[in-house]
Amino acid sequence: MSSTTRPRGRTLNALVVAAVLAATGALVPTLATADPSAAATAGRPAFTPSARVSGLINQMTLDEKLSFVTPSKDPLNPGAVTSGSAAYLPGVPRLAIPPMRYTDGSAGLRLPIDATAYPVSTMVGSTFDPDLAQTFGSTYGTEARAANQDVLLAPMVSLIRVPQGGRNYEAFGEDPLLVSRMAAGEVSGIQDAGVIATIKHFALNNQETNKGNVSANISEQAFHETELEGFAAGVKAGAGAAMCAYNKVNGVYSCSSDELLNQILKTQLDFQGYIMSDWGVTRAVTDMNAGLDQEMYWVGIQAAKFTTGLRTALTDGTVPMSALNDSVGRILTSMEAVGLLDGAAATRPTFDLATGAAMAQKIAEEGGVLLKNNGALPLTAGHTISVFGPGSVTPKVSGVLSAEVKSPNAKSPLQAITERAGAGATVTSVPAIPTTPTALQAAGTAAAASDIAIVFVADTISTDRAISLTTQQNDLINTVATANPNTIVVLNAGSAVTMPWLDKVAGVLDMYYPGVNGAQATAALLYGDVNPSGKLSQTFPVSDTQTPFAGNTAMYPGVGNVVDYSEGVNVGYRGYQAKNITPLFPFGYGLSYTSFSYSAPTVVQHGDTVTAKVTVTNTGTRAGKEVPQVYAGASPTVTAQQAQRKLVGFDKIELAAGESKVVEIPLDMHQFEYWDSTSHSWKLGTGVRQFWIGSSSANLPLTASADVSHFDVSATTTVKPLAGKAYLSVAATNNATTSVDIVITTAYGNKTFTAVEPGTTVSVSINSKLATVPAGSASVAVTGKVNGASLTETKSAPYAAYPTS
Ligand code: BGC
């Protein structure tokens, strides 16, 4: 059972949205605590490490402690720190605390060794398969451990906000639920492999433009219901580390923000790990008081703050020693959680690129999104094929900077297609992007001479990106498609791109940056050896003037160093719906070589879970996978901003040709909660909700409705003496919105209360007939009707022994 009003994790020193006059003169929201004077002084929340960790801290010298919060040069990877690629902590050999090595990034090890380039996170998101994300995390983590690494600077769990975002490809997608589930999967996989996962960049580093100066200004409600959800999921899944961001949030630099670090991440979300700065973004030694545990910087580029100033700050009291001990304790606790403090854990797995490559290929096959197919796909063996674009011969494998992986063994798509096309086929290549009319004409001639033309095109990244491909690439596609009706475009784009040529081409397959075996996966999907099942994890706009942000520079890229998140909770597809903009391809969209039909939708509540059921039938002639998606409408009892429709559940299923399955999709009650900015807590949006079920955010043929309610009974127990006997008292309060029956059962007697109204407390005091009572627990069973069905839930209310000693 959960309460209708619940701050997540520990109770938060509450947040309110205050309107302040920004430098621009506009009214913008800012986060502050209910008592603004408390905001600056809230300080570090209590943190209790294990006895083992406390014992280690007690034995550490100041120098040893300082080494934990400032990075050193890695003797095995001298590029680390100096290049910003990662970091090294020397550990304390005399206390058997091992050194710890950090490496990027979101899609593979960024080390001076050959490693597996995994598909980028947008492609992982497009698998819509959290179990696969977990297996990926485990494979990735194992590879990291084998390469002597202990901390992965992954996953990035921030949302995709604008299609221009230069690091969008490092994010899972635009929807909070999808991102949360993928993040939880990857984090738990990494941690289970004995490596510390880092959720980054906390928070709202959603654009690269001006990211070091810009303030992301967002309301309290929107922050909790959108960006924060991925972090909350990562924390719950056990992430040992978090990285604060370059940008400001509501006027305060992320890594200096007591409110973000101490109050939201460590207190409200109950994060028990440690927070490192993004590289070069520690602003002052006092950031440690704000909750920052570890400084990361580039040697020689940025003046380090902890490294140069912490010792003095500890002496003059600017930073209390308790803060340093707390930071070291948190780091050691995260090490302990993955077994790094157990001597035996020193054994590392064998470095195994073959397993990594197989995992990379699996994700690429599951995450490749078939966007258009007029029947030209899947390809069949034989034929004359002409393959265009540099990406056909130099495979686009991974992203850049932190997301770059040295993975030289990738096959080219040309080679993979040639091998798959078979002996009877002729595959020719025109790799250069034509830059002259003559070259363009030659491309058209080559295309006309083939049965099939496949054009590989790519976007450019690192800074914020144009969402259109280059003019030359668009010209190439137009020319080839004019010359050959069987033109297939393979996109190697990390995020959304526009497609002015879409009507002309026969097929489009989005392969993102598909990792080391991307070419094999591309060929497998083009030829139907694997039936495409990826779904877009972000909306693709028709043009950059048709997005919810178009023409609004205050929203993106910001005015006067302020970016206004005035979309509120309407992130991603919700913004398109709110503004009635029809995108090129909607969130959740992706085709298959078979077809699916949906029927018999129902949505029913069972206790604290609402379950959607729908029958999905494979109506085509080949086996395939489908992602049924459930979207919920607004609660009639909520006045706060709500999305018209938001994703509340999904599943990925496999069906043989002709097969039907009843798919049960559990919808977590949290999906029906909203953040109440008055009480600073989650509240259930009750009442009859509309549900839409289908295959994308824009293709939702089925509807159902259900009354969403809550059994939320809290109970307290006390044991008191009276006339030489101990009496056990149990009080139960109905916090729900429906009346319920409550049965209190104890070892000493029972009591039933019928039709307990919302807000009412019932209690019973039962004579134990004993002078002393051992510790035990009373059971509180709650029965009521939701959606016409009788439901029962039981919770136990423990009590301590009486008398206590
Ligand atoms: C990036 C981080 C990365 C770090 C270390 C920073 O510039 O923003 O994502 O983990 O560098 O390379």
Side-chain angles (χ1 to χ4, degrees):
M1 268 184 263
S2 60
S3 58
T4 24
T5 301
R6 58 175 189 92
R8 238 202 216 135
R10 296 179 192 165
T11 307
L12 171 68
N13 191 355
L15 304 176
V16 295
V17 178
V20 295
L21 207 52
T24 55
L27 279 173
V28 293
T30 185
L31 292 181
T33 56
D35 169 6
S37 63
T41 56
R44 294 182 154 244
F47 176 73
T48 314
S50 68
R52 168 160 67 171
V53 167
S54 300
L56 288 171
I57 298 171
N58 288 340
Q59 297 174 68
M60 284 165 74
T61 64
L62 178 60
D63 281 349
E64 286 164 350
K65 288 177 188 172
L66 288 171
S67 77
F68 271 71
V69 299
T70 54
S72 308
K73 288 193 185 185
D74 183 350
L76 294 185
N77 176 15
V81 175
T82 46
S83 71
S85 70
Y88 172 76
L89 302 184
V92 186
R94 70 182 181 87
L95 297 176
I97 304 174
M100 193 152 72
R101 293 185 161 81
Y102 293 53
T103 189
D104 275 311
S106 54
L109 305 180
R110 185 195 185 196
L111 290 171
I113 56 167
D114 293 351
T116 306
Y118 295 97
V120 289
S121 300
T122 33
M123 193 167 210
V124 177
S126 289
T127 69
F128 272 68
D129 187 344
D131 293 339
L132 183 59
Q134 181 165 5
T135 323
F136 159 52
S138 145
T139 309
Y140 185 19
T142 303
E143 186 174 329
R145 255 195 76 70
N148 282 315
Q149 303 300 307
D150 308 293
V151 181
L152 271 177
L153 302 174
M156 176 166 141
V157 303
S158 289
L159 294 186
I160 292 181
R161 177 172 183 256
V162 289
Q164 290 87 352
R167 292 180 74 176
N168 278 359
Y169 65 96
E170 293 192 69
F172 292 116
E174 69 186 21
D175 176 77
L177 175 65
L178 176 67
V179 170
S180 300
R181 293 194 57 194
M182 303 312 282
E186 186 174 332
V187 164
S188 65
I190 292 172
Q191 292 272 151
D192 287 350
V195 168
I196 295 171
T198 309
I199 44 178
K200 67 185 187 183
H201 306 94
F202 189 65
L204 299 166
N205 182 183
N206 307 123
Q207 68 184 57
E208 291 305 285
T209 303
N210 201 16
K211 75 172 170 187
N213 301 309
V214 94
S215 176
N217 283 12
I218 192 168
S219 76
E220 177 183 339
Q221 186 205 353
F223 186 46
H224 282 80
E225 292 186 30
T226 62
E227 172 90 353
L228 206 47
E229 288 287 66
F231 289 93
V235 168
K236 268 197 193 154
M243 187 191 294
C244 50
Y246 283 114
N247 55 287
K248 295 177 188 168
V249 173
N250 292 345
V252 182
Y253 274 111
S254 301
C255 294
S256 312
S257 171
D258 175 274
E259 183 167 49
L260 278 185
L261 309 185
N262 279 335
Q263 298 179 56
I264 296 183
L265 189 52
K266 287 184 174 173
T267 304
Q268 187 187 313
L269 299 186
D270 202 14
F271 177 53
Q272 298 290 303
Y274 67 98
I275 303 173
M276 70 184 82
S277 70
D278 201 340
W279 265 242
V281 80
T282 307
R283 310 243 159 214
V285 283
T286 47
D287 287 355
M288 183 166 267
N289 297 337
L292 181 64
D293 295 301
Q294 201 174 51
E295 161 174 78
M296 293 301 180
Y297 69 104
W298 287 285
V299 173
I301 296 184
Q302 186 236 3
K305 298 294 187 298
F306 287 9
T307 308
T308 52
L310 200 50
R311 193 183 294 272
T312 311
L314 290 163
T315 313
D316 67 20
T318 313
V319 175
M321 189 58 78
S322 59
L324 176 63
N325 285 337
D326 184 61
S327 289
V328 174
R330 282 176 171 272
I331 296 165
L332 285 170
T333 299
S334 293
M335 294 177 78
E336 184 179 43
V338 293
L340 287 173
L341 300 185
D342 307 338
T347 341
R348 292 187 181 258
T350 315
F351 193 66
D352 174 11
L353 285 175
T355 300
M359 172 53 57
Q361 185 166 338
K362 172 82 180 154
I363 297 168
E365 290 173 352
E366 295 280 327
V369 186
L370 182 62
L371 293 174
K372 177 171 182 184
N373 182 18
N374 72 358
L377 293 172
L379 303 176
T380 48
H383 302 294
T384 53
I385 303 173
S386 46
V387 181
F388 299 84
S392 65
V393 288
T394 310
K396 182 70 193 160
V397 167
S398 65
V400 296
L401 301 171
S402 337
E404 196 161 354
V405 183
K406 196 166 164 283
S407 188
N409 299 322
K411 213 176 239 193
S412 72
L414 177 63
Q415 193 185 344
I417 289 169
T418 307
E419 284 167 11
R420 180 57 184 82
T426 315
V427 184
T428 53
S429 160
V430 187
I433 294 288
T435 51
T436 62
T438 316
L440 201 54
Q441 202 181 359
T445 308
S450 335
D451 300 331
I452 296 146
I454 307 175
V455 190
F456 284 80
V457 286
D459 62 347
T460 45
I461 40 169
S462 103
T463 54
D464 280 357
R465 51 199 277 282
I467 60 173
S468 56
L469 298 169
T470 59
T471 310
Q472 281 102 339
Q473 291 189 93
N474 282 335
D475 287 349
L476 173 64
I477 296 171
N478 271 320
T479 304
V480 169
T482 305
N484 189 324
N486 293 322
T487 294
I488 312 296
V489 174
V490 177
L491 285 178
N492 287 130
S495 190
V497 293
T498 55
M499 304 178 202
W501 32 257
L502 186 62
D503 287 347
K504 285 193 185 159
V505 302
V508 181
L509 177 66
D510 188 0
M511 289 304 289
Y512 299 90
Y513 311 147
V516 63
N517 277 21
Q520 292 89 320
T522 303
L525 289 167
L526 288 174
Y527 280 88
D529 304 332
V530 174
N531 196 347
S533 63
K535 302 279 184 175
L536 288 182
S537 56
Q538 63 193 302
T539 307
F540 276 43
V542 173
S543 75
D544 52 10
T545 57
Q546 272 184 295
T547 78
F549 305 92
N552 190 335
T553 50
M555 290 179 84
Y556 175 80
V559 174
N561 288 339
V562 170
V563 178
D564 187 1
Y565 280 52
S566 54
E567 70 272 27
V569 302
N570 281 328
V571 291
Y573 58 90
R574 304 177 192 173
Y576 286 79
Q577 286 168 0
K579 295 207 160 168
N580 237 335
I581 304 169
T582 304
L584 185 64
F585 294 112
F587 170 84
Y589 171 87
L591 300 172
S592 162
Y593 294 142
T594 186
S595 49
F596 299 97
S597 74
Y598 286 67
S599 60
T602 61
V603 179
V604 174
Q605 182 175 4
H606 298 281
D608 261 0
T609 302
V610 177
T611 304
K613 269 194 208 174
V614 63
T615 303
V616 184
T617 306
N618 181 343
T619 51
T621 52
R622 60 168 77 206
K625 290 184 179 169
E626 172 66 325
V627 179
Q629 298 160 44
V630 183
Y631 293 77
S635 156
T637 62
V638 174
T639 51
Q641 188 197 20
Q642 296 182 84
Q644 280 174 25
R645 288 196 289 271
K646 68 167 202 165
L647 184 69
V648 291
F650 61 88
D651 196 4
K652 188 159 189 173
I653 53 158
E654 183 159 22
L655 293 173
E659 189 185 355
S660 266
K661 242 183 215 167
V662 178
V663 187
E664 283 195 23
I665 304 178
L667 314 175
D668 191 316
M669 215 56 165
H670 177 55
Q671 294 311 315
F672 305 105
E673 292 181 320
Y674 68 100
W675 183 263
D676 175 42
S677 304
T678 308
S679 63
H680 316 292
S681 61
W682 291 103
K683 282 193 172 175
L684 186 69
T686 53
V688 177
R689 293 219 184 209
Q690 180 82 17
F691 292 86
W692 292 265
I693 304 177
S695 63
S696 83
S697 60
N699 180 25
L700 297 165
L702 302 182
T703 57
S705 65
D707 192 353
V708 174
S709 193
H710 227 9
F711 285 174
D712 175 17
V713 173
S714 51
T716 56
T717 47
T718 46
V719 188
K720 281 190 200 144
L722 189 68
K725 296 281 182 294
Y727 279 76
L728 173 65
S729 303
V730 184
T733 305
N734 181 6
N735 308 309
T737 50
T738 51
S739 72
V740 290
D741 298 343
I742 296 175
V743 183
I744 296 174
T745 309
T746 77
Y748 313 108
N750 310 327
K751 172 92 181 171
T752 300
F753 301 88
T754 49
V756 179
E757 289 301 318
T760 305
T761 299
V762 294
S763 63
V764 61
S765 206
I766 299 174
N767 185 349
S768 71
K769 301 198 169 57
L770 303 167
T772 62
V773 165
S777 77
S779 150
V780 180
V782 189
T783 306
K785 282 204 167 167
V786 173
N787 297 325
S790 284
L791 303 173
T792 300
E793 286 183 36
T794 305
K795 78 183 286 183
S796 74
Y799 50 86
Y802 176 82
T804 43
S805 57

